Amino acid sequence: MHPPSVDKLARSVTNTDLPHPVLVDVAREAIADGDHENFRSRVVAAERRLLDRVVNATGVLLHTNLGRAPLAHHQSAGYSSLELDLESGRRGSRQSSAATLLARAGGAEAAVVVNNCAAAVTLSLAAIAGSGSVPVSRGELVEIGGGFRVPDVIAQSRAKLVEIGTTNRTRIQDVRRALDEHDDVTAVLKVHPSNYRMEGFTESVEVRELADLDVPILVDLGSGLLDEACPWLDNGRPNWLGDEPAVRQTLEQGADLVMFSGDKLLGGPQAGIIAGRADLVAKCAKHPLMRAFRPGSLVISALQSVALAYLDRRGSDIPFWYMASLTISELKDRAAAIGVGEVAEMDAAPGGGSLPTATIPSAGLVLGGDHSAALRAANPPIIARVNEDRTHLDLRTVSPDDDAHIKDVVAHLC
Ligand SMILES: *Cc1c(COP(=O)(O)O)cnc(C)c1O
């Protein structure tokens, strides 16, 4: 029997939103593989490769595969005042909204927003360190993930890395020696080892010890916790934050610039923020790389909502902090109301390469057996965790609006 024509096969599936050219590609592949009988399931697989909303029942609040911080953002079609100064009617700056509000919220003189923290580190090194030498502790030459390695980032800027101290111990004397031995030091970089912990015989240089050196101190904070005291939360700083450093206090201790992500503990969209001394921030803003790293209005608008919530101390309007602050009894009540599987306590985690050893007491549902594939097949997909042949649905990371969907889907599994 002849295989069907590509066009005929492409038109044989009608209940799909995929455009015809994509269906043609899927049909062509199916025929080439001698697998046209499975065209329908190949179309479904192609649909599933599109970006889609998912329900995160993993308990990992900042899940790298699920877009890190949960994002609430709606925008209707239209223009924005992205670079228009409405007062004067002249050209304005896209850094006058979200960046200025975030600077205010984090106690910085000024800030600029770029596409992610990797860009923030690259830009600040290029603009501030130039082609000079930059001492960095050997204990902080970290890989953040996805191949983002501090030595490689420094190599990409024109700066020269000067390794100081040892893997486990670096002292202020090591920094001073580097300044004595190299007459071209243009900045000192300190990197927060976000995703691993060193224990035992360790020592690192505190920001306050660096404060009286005559070169700019740049601190890559990574996570973007704005203030150690968490004044935006009714119950103040949660215990699971441990000793995670914060923007406001790092600047108070004497950092000249801090760099952090928008979508980790800040709870916003993917972005990077450089905040600190106004003259240094202005240098970053004027650097030619800024043009390549600047975000668009969608990101700036989402970041502005988050910054306003921080300044208003409305932590519960930031989905990340709302979820992080839910009590176990609220979660258990929701689990019981869903009424399928077994209500159980479990451990959630901040995730996102921050606070690698921290857990957040949580609760949800446990089902016997591995149902992860069936849950992923739901619409919207539900992403769960499987441990020892039991499926865990942690409700901390599930919006209460999705409880009914979980109930529906799980009722059909068991
Ligand atoms: C996560 C992290 C980065 C990278 O941030 P992105 O926003 O993903 O680019 C850089 N530095 C540190 C210390 C981090 O924790």
Side-chain angles (χ1 to χ4, degrees), residues 247-268:
V247 171
R248 176 179 294 277
Q249 286 73 21
T250 305
L251 290 169
E252 279 170 7
Q253 285 156 18
D256 294 292
L257 285 183
V258 296
M259 291 78 81
F260 55 96
S261 289
D263 52 354
K264 293 185 181 172
L265 297 179
L266 191 71

PDB file of all heavy atoms in Angstrom, residues 247-268:
ATOM      1  N   VAL A 247      20.096  42.645  49.134  1.00  0.00           N
ATOM      2  CA  VAL A 247      20.535  43.830  48.391  1.00  0.00           C
ATOM      3  C   VAL A 247      20.794  45.007  49.333  1.00  0.00           C
ATOM      4  O   VAL A 247      21.881  45.599  49.335  1.00  0.00           O
ATOM      5  CB  VAL A 247      19.462  44.208  47.335  1.00  0.00           C
ATOM      6  CG1 VAL A 247      19.763  45.546  46.684  1.00  0.00           C
ATOM      7  CG2 VAL A 247      19.341  43.097  46.287  1.00  0.00           C
ATOM      8  N   ARG A 248      19.793  45.385  50.138  1.00  0.00           N
ATOM      9  CA  ARG A 248      19.904  46.577  50.982  1.00  0.00           C
ATOM     10  C   ARG A 248      21.102  46.493  51.917  1.00  0.00           C
ATOM     11  O   ARG A 248      21.928  47.400  51.991  1.00  0.00           O
ATOM     12  CB  ARG A 248      18.606  46.769  51.796  1.00  0.00           C
ATOM     13  CG  ARG A 248      18.663  47.933  52.785  1.00  0.00           C
ATOM     14  CD  ARG A 248      17.350  48.077  53.534  1.00  0.00           C
ATOM     15  NE  ARG A 248      16.262  48.470  52.660  1.00  0.00           N
ATOM     16  CZ  ARG A 248      16.001  49.734  52.299  1.00  0.00           C
ATOM     17  NH1 ARG A 248      16.746  50.716  52.753  1.00  0.00           N
ATOM     18  NH2 ARG A 248      15.005  50.001  51.499  1.00  0.00           N
ATOM     19  N   GLN A 249      21.246  45.360  52.622  1.00  0.00           N
ATOM     20  CA  GLN A 249      22.315  45.233  53.613  1.00  0.00           C
ATOM     21  C   GLN A 249      23.689  45.143  52.940  1.00  0.00           C
ATOM     22  O   GLN A 249      24.673  45.651  53.472  1.00  0.00           O
ATOM     23  CB  GLN A 249      22.067  44.030  54.521  1.00  0.00           C
ATOM     24  CG  GLN A 249      20.948  44.247  55.551  1.00  0.00           C
ATOM     25  CD  GLN A 249      19.539  44.254  54.963  1.00  0.00           C
ATOM     26  OE1 GLN A 249      19.302  43.728  53.874  1.00  0.00           O
ATOM     27  NE2 GLN A 249      18.595  44.871  55.676  1.00  0.00           N
ATOM     28  N   THR A 250      23.771  44.503  51.768  1.00  0.00           N
ATOM     29  CA  THR A 250      25.058  44.404  51.073  1.00  0.00           C
ATOM     30  C   THR A 250      25.530  45.796  50.648  1.00  0.00           C
ATOM     31  O   THR A 250      26.716  46.125  50.747  1.00  0.00           O
ATOM     32  CB  THR A 250      24.940  43.452  49.855  1.00  0.00           C
ATOM     33  OG1 THR A 250      24.434  42.197  50.321  1.00  0.00           O
ATOM     34  CG2 THR A 250      26.284  43.228  49.180  1.00  0.00           C
ATOM     35  N   LEU A 251      24.595  46.631  50.207  1.00  0.00           N
ATOM     36  CA  LEU A 251      24.952  48.013  49.856  1.00  0.00           C
ATOM     37  C   LEU A 251      25.328  48.806  51.109  1.00  0.00           C
ATOM     38  O   LEU A 251      26.313  49.547  51.115  1.00  0.00           O
ATOM     39  CB  LEU A 251      23.798  48.688  49.106  1.00  0.00           C
ATOM     40  CG  LEU A 251      23.540  48.154  47.683  1.00  0.00           C
ATOM     41  CD1 LEU A 251      22.218  48.687  47.139  1.00  0.00           C
ATOM     42  CD2 LEU A 251      24.691  48.520  46.735  1.00  0.00           C
ATOM     43  N   GLU A 252      24.575  48.607  52.190  1.00  0.00           N
ATOM     44  CA  GLU A 252      24.897  49.314  53.446  1.00  0.00           C
ATOM     45  C   GLU A 252      26.281  48.940  53.955  1.00  0.00           C
ATOM     46  O   GLU A 252      26.998  49.762  54.506  1.00  0.00           O
ATOM     47  CB  GLU A 252      23.866  48.961  54.538  1.00  0.00           C
ATOM     48  CG  GLU A 252      22.571  49.754  54.423  1.00  0.00           C
ATOM     49  CD  GLU A 252      21.469  49.228  55.355  1.00  0.00           C
ATOM     50  OE1 GLU A 252      21.733  48.325  56.188  1.00  0.00           O
ATOM     51  OE2 GLU A 252      20.342  49.724  55.230  1.00  0.00           O
ATOM     52  N   GLN A 253      26.671  47.667  53.733  1.00  0.00           N
ATOM     53  CA  GLN A 253      27.981  47.219  54.207  1.00  0.00           C
ATOM     54  C   GLN A 253      29.117  47.765  53.362  1.00  0.00           C
ATOM     55  O   GLN A 253      30.279  47.615  53.724  1.00  0.00           O
ATOM     56  CB  GLN A 253      28.027  45.687  54.233  1.00  0.00           C
ATOM     57  CG  GLN A 253      27.237  45.099  55.405  1.00  0.00           C
ATOM     58  CD  GLN A 253      26.788  43.674  55.124  1.00  0.00           C
ATOM     59  OE1 GLN A 253      27.335  43.015  54.232  1.00  0.00           O
ATOM     60  NE2 GLN A 253      25.795  43.219  55.878  1.00  0.00           N
ATOM     61  N   GLY A 254      28.802  48.365  52.219  1.00  0.00           N
ATOM     62  CA  GLY A 254      29.859  49.018  51.458  1.00  0.00           C
ATOM     63  C   GLY A 254      30.049  48.540  50.031  1.00  0.00           C
ATOM     64  O   GLY A 254      30.994  48.978  49.371  1.00  0.00           O
ATOM     65  N   ALA A 255      29.171  47.662  49.522  1.00  0.00           N
ATOM     66  CA  ALA A 255      29.279  47.297  48.102  1.00  0.00           C
ATOM     67  C   ALA A 255      28.960  48.538  47.280  1.00  0.00           C
ATOM     68  O   ALA A 255      28.098  49.340  47.651  1.00  0.00           O
ATOM     69  CB  ALA A 255      28.302  46.174  47.758  1.00  0.00           C
ATOM     70  N   ASP A 256      29.673  48.711  46.158  1.00  0.00           N
ATOM     71  CA  ASP A 256      29.381  49.849  45.282  1.00  0.00           C
ATOM     72  C   ASP A 256      28.304  49.499  44.278  1.00  0.00           C
ATOM     73  O   ASP A 256      27.491  50.347  43.909  1.00  0.00           O
ATOM     74  CB  ASP A 256      30.670  50.284  44.580  1.00  0.00           C
ATOM     75  CG  ASP A 256      31.671  50.826  45.584  1.00  0.00           C
ATOM     76  OD1 ASP A 256      31.412  51.900  46.146  1.00  0.00           O
ATOM     77  OD2 ASP A 256      32.679  50.145  45.850  1.00  0.00           O
ATOM     78  N   LEU A 257      28.307  48.253  43.823  1.00  0.00           N
ATOM     79  CA  LEU A 257      27.250  47.772  42.924  1.00  0.00           C
ATOM     80  C   LEU A 257      26.887  46.353  43.338  1.00  0.00           C
ATOM     81  O   LEU A 257      27.780  45.562  43.678  1.00  0.00           O
ATOM     82  CB  LEU A 257      27.724  47.716  41.466  1.00  0.00           C
ATOM     83  CG  LEU A 257      27.864  49.005  40.654  1.00  0.00           C
ATOM     84  CD1 LEU A 257      28.288  48.648  39.228  1.00  0.00           C
ATOM     85  CD2 LEU A 257      26.574  49.825  40.642  1.00  0.00           C
ATOM     86  N   VAL A 258      25.612  46.010  43.271  1.00  0.00           N
ATOM     87  CA  VAL A 258      25.200  44.613  43.408  1.00  0.00           C
ATOM     88  C   VAL A 258      24.474  44.211  42.131  1.00  0.00           C
ATOM     89  O   VAL A 258      23.845  45.049  41.472  1.00  0.00           O
ATOM     90  CB  VAL A 258      24.287  44.363  44.635  1.00  0.00           C
ATOM     91  CG1 VAL A 258      25.024  44.651  45.931  1.00  0.00           C
ATOM     92  CG2 VAL A 258      23.005  45.190  44.547  1.00  0.00           C
ATOM     93  N   MET A 259      24.595  42.933  41.785  1.00  0.00           N
ATOM     94  CA  MET A 259      23.907  42.402  40.609  1.00  0.00           C
ATOM     95  C   MET A 259      23.015  41.264  41.081  1.00  0.00           C
ATOM     96  O   MET A 259      23.430  40.449  41.915  1.00  0.00           O
ATOM     97  CB  MET A 259      24.932  41.854  39.596  1.00  0.00           C
ATOM     98  CG  MET A 259      25.790  42.918  38.935  1.00  0.00           C
ATOM     99  SD  MET A 259      27.137  43.523  39.992  1.00  0.00           S
ATOM    100  CE  MET A 259      28.354  42.237  39.756  1.00  0.00           C
ATOM    101  N   PHE A 260      21.791  41.193  40.553  1.00  0.00           N
ATOM    102  CA  PHE A 260      20.898  40.087  40.949  1.00  0.00           C
ATOM    103  C   PHE A 260      19.869  39.794  39.870  1.00  0.00           C
ATOM    104  O   PHE A 260      19.637  40.603  38.981  1.00  0.00           O
ATOM    105  CB  PHE A 260      20.236  40.364  42.309  1.00  0.00           C
ATOM    106  CG  PHE A 260      19.486  41.674  42.412  1.00  0.00           C
ATOM    107  CD1 PHE A 260      18.107  41.726  42.207  1.00  0.00           C
ATOM    108  CD2 PHE A 260      20.145  42.854  42.736  1.00  0.00           C
ATOM    109  CE1 PHE A 260      17.415  42.930  42.319  1.00  0.00           C
ATOM    110  CE2 PHE A 260      19.459  44.056  42.843  1.00  0.00           C
ATOM    111  CZ  PHE A 260      18.094  44.098  42.636  1.00  0.00           C
ATOM    112  N   SER A 261      19.253  38.597  39.990  1.00  0.00           N
ATOM    113  CA  SER A 261      18.253  38.133  39.029  1.00  0.00           C
ATOM    114  C   SER A 261      16.886  38.707  39.360  1.00  0.00           C
ATOM    115  O   SER A 261      16.569  38.943  40.528  1.00  0.00           O
ATOM    116  CB  SER A 261      18.118  36.608  39.078  1.00  0.00           C
ATOM    117  OG  SER A 261      19.244  35.986  38.547  1.00  0.00           O
ATOM    118  N   GLY A 262      16.050  38.838  38.327  1.00  0.00           N
ATOM    119  CA  GLY A 262      14.666  39.260  38.552  1.00  0.00           C
ATOM    120  C   GLY A 262      13.767  38.101  38.923  1.00  0.00           C
ATOM    121  O   GLY A 262      12.724  38.282  39.551  1.00  0.00           O
ATOM    122  N   ASP A 263      14.166  36.868  38.540  1.00  0.00           N
ATOM    123  CA  ASP A 263      13.229  35.740  38.667  1.00  0.00           C
ATOM    124  C   ASP A 263      13.657  34.705  39.695  1.00  0.00           C
ATOM    125  O   ASP A 263      13.240  33.557  39.639  1.00  0.00           O
ATOM    126  CB  ASP A 263      12.990  35.085  37.300  1.00  0.00           C
ATOM    127  CG  ASP A 263      14.293  34.715  36.576  1.00  0.00           C
ATOM    128  OD1 ASP A 263      15.375  35.061  37.085  1.00  0.00           O
ATOM    129  OD2 ASP A 263      14.211  34.092  35.506  1.00  0.00           O
ATOM    130  N   LYS A 264      14.515  35.092  40.633  1.00  0.00           N
ATOM    131  CA  LYS A 264      14.800  34.193  41.765  1.00  0.00           C
ATOM    132  C   LYS A 264      14.015  34.719  42.965  1.00  0.00           C
ATOM    133  O   LYS A 264      12.811  34.899  42.866  1.00  0.00           O
ATOM    134  CB  LYS A 264      16.301  34.114  42.011  1.00  0.00           C
ATOM    135  CG  LYS A 264      17.046  33.418  40.865  1.00  0.00           C
ATOM    136  CD  LYS A 264      18.518  33.257  41.210  1.00  0.00           C
ATOM    137  CE  LYS A 264      19.284  32.583  40.081  1.00  0.00           C
ATOM    138  NZ  LYS A 264      20.733  32.619  40.351  1.00  0.00           N
ATOM    139  N   LEU A 265      14.690  35.023  44.082  1.00  0.00           N
ATOM    140  CA  LEU A 265      13.935  35.434  45.280  1.00  0.00           C
ATOM    141  C   LEU A 265      13.233  36.782  45.117  1.00  0.00           C
ATOM    142  O   LEU A 265      12.386  37.144  45.926  1.00  0.00           O
ATOM    143  CB  LEU A 265      14.854  35.470  46.512  1.00  0.00           C
ATOM    144  CG  LEU A 265      15.460  34.122  46.927  1.00  0.00           C
ATOM    145  CD1 LEU A 265      16.368  34.293  48.149  1.00  0.00           C
ATOM    146  CD2 LEU A 265      14.380  33.096  47.246  1.00  0.00           C
ATOM    147  N   LEU A 266      13.555  37.533  44.069  1.00  0.00           N
ATOM    148  CA  LEU A 266      12.806  38.772  43.827  1.00  0.00           C
ATOM    149  C   LEU A 266      11.375  38.441  43.412  1.00  0.00           C
ATOM    150  O   LEU A 266      10.453  39.207  43.680  1.00  0.00           O
ATOM    151  CB  LEU A 266      13.495  39.623  42.750  1.00  0.00           C
ATOM    152  CG  LEU A 266      12.958  41.050  42.596  1.00  0.00           C
ATOM    153  CD1 LEU A 266      13.351  41.919  43.784  1.00  0.00           C
ATOM    154  CD2 LEU A 266      13.427  41.696  41.297  1.00  0.00           C
ATOM    155  N   GLY A 267      11.195  37.296  42.744  1.00  0.00           N
ATOM    156  CA  GLY A 267       9.842  36.858  42.382  1.00  0.00           C
ATOM    157  C   GLY A 267       9.264  37.541  41.160  1.00  0.00           C
ATOM    158  O   GLY A 267       8.038  37.614  41.005  1.00  0.00           O
ATOM    159  N   GLY A 268      10.100  38.050  40.272  1.00  0.00           N
ATOM    160  CA  GLY A 268       9.605  38.750  39.091  1.00  0.00           C
ATOM    161  C   GLY A 268       9.885  37.993  37.801  1.00  0.00           C
ATOM    162  O   GLY A 268      10.131  36.783  37.810  1.00  0.00           O
TER     163      GLY A 268
END
